[in-house]
């Protein structure tokens, strides 16, 4: 995501750029193709609400800046209530085609295993950076790269879901069209089924870590069994919360918990189980997930899995232009910098590309206002976060300078609207300053 967006921004500014991509020659645990923007963990860019949600605001800022990732996401959008979900394979293929067709973009299918010593570079290798380059980064940083473990949710064939038990509905009937209001498939659980499900989760065979590895997880993508270990009710207040939904098969019965599945492709033939990232072994997944009402005969297009993700201690290693302090001809962008999520990764690629162009032109961009989603993120990773406790972070309003709304902190809707109004004005002004400088 980050590398694709960075390359697009550079080429659109009139500068030649070369993308080095190790896939498909060198694969990873999670990737299946050689597409430049393949999505692996989810097909969701999360909320598209640009007035009440920080990631929705980031969508808005990237669209305003002519971002390729958002343009292709909008083009390959799937119904998902108030979220922005995409048809993942056509999306990645479209991003790849736009970049390969650009006259100023060259794509080289080659693995980079050492830090380049000359030229201007952006390292946007993501969480599954090749071992050679990861070691080179660690050596240059004078320390070990940090690491955490990330999990992938399973994907189900839609025609194997029992719709006599499950039903289609977005939470709180969100969405402007009927397609959006019925974008999710819901599987209800009564108390007894839920308790049995939790017991099975806790007892299931799970992937063991290698000696010396510690299981540091990103809180926004916890394996479902790790959430269950934190308390038997945790899932009912997380991905399995039973609110905003009415079961048409039994409208007078309130489910104790609900498992949601979100459409994963445009055809509607595949659905991923929302929030069900897992480190259970494959055999355990099949038996445990068969306990979910409506999924007793489900066939899986992909089972879940867990893998090690690496990221650098960006507040220590990067300057405020995202350059490696010890080798300033190298910038970092994307999830390897310690932002979390497809959108956040692409946003840092967008910014790194623009910073690289400005430097090539012999000028310096004004700092991105930290009142914007883009600015709040880059400020966080390049010095705003405590380096001693630095962990991957999604964009959120807690990263923004505070605002005061009428009614104080309790009036959250008014406060979030103030955040987004201020951000849009400041981002528009920053883009205008950049255009004037050019």
């Amino acid at each position: 995501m980050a590398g694709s967006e960075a390359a697009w921004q550079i080429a659109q500014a009139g500068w030649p750029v070369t993308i080095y991509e190790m896939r498909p020659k060198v694969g990873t645990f999670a990737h299946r193709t050689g597409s430049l923007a393949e999505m692996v963990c989810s097909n969701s860019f999360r909320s598209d609400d640009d007035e009440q949600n920080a990631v929705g605001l980031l969508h808005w800022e990237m669209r305003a800046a002519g971002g390729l990732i958002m343009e292709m996401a909008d083009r390959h959008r799937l119904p998902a209530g108030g979220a922005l979900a995409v048809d993942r394979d056509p999306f990645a293929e479209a991003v790849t085609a736009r970049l390969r067709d650009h006259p100023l973009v060259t794509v080289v299918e080659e693995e980079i295993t050492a830090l380049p010593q000359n030229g201007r570079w952006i390292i946007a290798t993501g969480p599954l950076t090749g071992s050679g380059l990861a070691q080179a980064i660690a050596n240059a940083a004078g320390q070990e790269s940090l690491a955490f473990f990330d999990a992938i949710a399973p994907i189900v064939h839609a025609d194997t879901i029992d719709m006599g038990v499950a039903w289609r509905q977005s939470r709180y009937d969100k969405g402007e069209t009927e397609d959006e209001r019925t974008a999710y498939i819901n599987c209800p659980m009564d108390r007894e089924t839920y308790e049995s499900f939790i017991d099975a989760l806790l007892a299931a065979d799970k992937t063991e870590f290698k000696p010396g590895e510690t299981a540091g997880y990103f809180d926004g993508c916890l394996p479902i069994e790790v959430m269950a270990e934190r308390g038997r009710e945790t899932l009912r207040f997380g991905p399995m919360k039973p609110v905003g939904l009415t079961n048409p098969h039994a409208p007078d019965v309130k489910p104790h918990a609900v498992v949601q599945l979100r459409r994963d492709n445009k055809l509607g033939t595949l659905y991923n189980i929302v929030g069900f990232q897992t480190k259970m072994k494959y055999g355990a997944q099949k038996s445990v997930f068969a306990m979910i009402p409506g999924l007793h005969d489900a066939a899986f297009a992909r089972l879940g899995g867990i893998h090690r993700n690496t990221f650098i201690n960006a507040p220590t290693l990067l300057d405020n232009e995202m350059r490696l302090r010890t080798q300033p001809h190298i910038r970092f962008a994307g999830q390897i910098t310690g932002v979390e999520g497809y959108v956040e990764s692409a946003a840092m690629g967008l910014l790194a590309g623009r910073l690289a162009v400005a430097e090539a032109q012999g000028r310096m961009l004004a700092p991105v206002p930290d009142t914007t989603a883009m600015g709040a993120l880059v400020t966080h990773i390049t010095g705003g976060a405590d380096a001693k406790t630095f962990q991957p972070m999604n964009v959120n309003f807690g990263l923004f300078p505070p605002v005061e709304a009428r009614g104080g902190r309790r009036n959250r809707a008014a406060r979030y609207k103030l955040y987004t109004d201020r951000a849009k004005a400041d981002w528009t002004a920053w883009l205008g300053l950049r255009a004037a400088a050019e």
Side-chain angles (χ1 to χ4, degrees), residues 387-409:
K388 293 180 180 179
T389 58
F390 186 62
Q391 286 289 312
M393 178 70 74
N394 286 122
V395 67
N396 64 85
F397 287 128
L399 302 179
F400 291 56
V403 296
E404 289 297 329
R406 181 176 297 178
R409 295 192 62 79

Side-chain angles (χ1 to χ4, degrees), residues 36-55:
L36 297 176
E38 181 181 343
M39 303 174 74
V40 294
C41 293
S42 168
N43 73 326
S44 176
F45 281 15
R46 312 195 315 280
S47 174
D48 202 34
D49 184 346
D50 61 18
E51 293 189 348
Q52 292 290 309
N53 190 283
V55 74

Side-chain angles (χ1 to χ4, degrees), residues 141-360:
Q143 63 182 67
E144 289 294 322
S145 291
L146 302 179
F148 67 104
F149 288 88
D150 203 0
I152 294 174
I155 295 176
V156 177
H157 289 283
D159 60 3
T160 66
I161 300 171
D162 184 351
M163 297 306 295
V165 175
W167 77 95
R168 298 180 184 275
Q169 182 188 7
S170 295
R171 202 179 298 279
Y172 297 109
D173 296 308
K174 268 195 169 184
E176 296 181 358
T177 67
E178 181 65 17
D179 218 18
E180 291 174 336
R181 289 189 290 273
T182 58
Y184 292 79
I185 292 177
N186 303 281
C187 301
M189 284 188 181
D190 58 24
R191 180 185 292 274
E192 182 180 355
T193 304
Y194 176 81
E195 294 296 339
S196 298
F197 180 74
I198 296 299
D199 288 338
L201 271 182
L202 296 175
D205 287 337
K206 302 172 183 72
T207 299
E208 299 296 332
F209 298 108
K210 296 178 182 178
E213 289 184 338
T214 56
Y217 297 105
F218 168 58
D219 274 349
C221 201
L222 286 174
I224 187 171
E225 56 276 2
V226 173
M227 286 189 273
E229 289 168 0
R230 294 184 173 184
R232 297 185 68 87
E233 292 291 283
T234 302
L235 293 173
R236 290 189 63 243
F237 289 89
M240 295 175 66
K241 56 183 178 287
V243 300
L245 298 166
T246 301
N247 183 356
H249 305 304
D252 297 327
V253 178
K254 182 175 176 59
H256 187 69
V258 175
V259 174
Q260 284 200 306
L261 296 91
R262 180 180 56 237
R263 189 187 299 186
D264 200 73
N265 65 347
K266 190 172 184 178
L267 293 174
T269 57
L270 299 175
Y271 277 74
N272 66 70
I273 311 181
V274 177
F276 269 50
Q277 302 82 216
T278 182
K279 62 174 184 174
M280 286 187 289
K281 293 182 178 179
Y282 286 170
Q285 288 183 50
K286 291 179 180 178
S287 61
V288 172
F289 294 149
M291 298 174 66
I292 299 171
L295 300 188
H296 47 276
D297 290 324
F300 292 88
R302 182 191 74 190
L303 288 164
I306 191 165
H307 53 277
R308 181 184 174 114
N309 283 355
T310 57
F311 62 98
I312 62 172
N313 192 321
T316 299
L317 302 177
L318 302 185
D319 67 14
N320 62 3
E321 290 225 341
M322 304 170 71
R323 296 174 297 200
L324 189 61
R325 294 180 190 275
T326 57
Q327 299 187 47
H329 66 290
I330 296 174
R331 280 184 168 83
F332 282 78
Q335 196 165 339
I336 195 171
T337 67
V339 297
E340 176 62 24
Y342 292 131
V343 179
E344 290 88 339
S345 297
M348 293 300 93
L350 186 153
L351 189 55
R354 287 175 172 241
L355 290 169
V357 167
E359 185 176 65

Side-chain angles (χ1 to χ4, degrees), residues 54 57-58 60-62 348 351 367-380 395-397 399-401 418-431:
L57 173 62
L58 192 55
W60 185 94
E61 292 180 7
M62 294 173 69
M348 293 300 93
L351 189 55
V368 183
D370 62 1
T371 52
T372 66
M374 195 84 65
L377 268 179
V378 74
T379 297
H380 177 75
V395 67
N396 64 85
F397 287 128
L399 302 179
F400 291 56
L418 288 177
Y419 277 125
T420 57
D421 286 349
R422 180 181 65 178
K424 290 176 181 179
D426 291 351
W427 180 245
T428 300
W430 187 84
L431 289 177

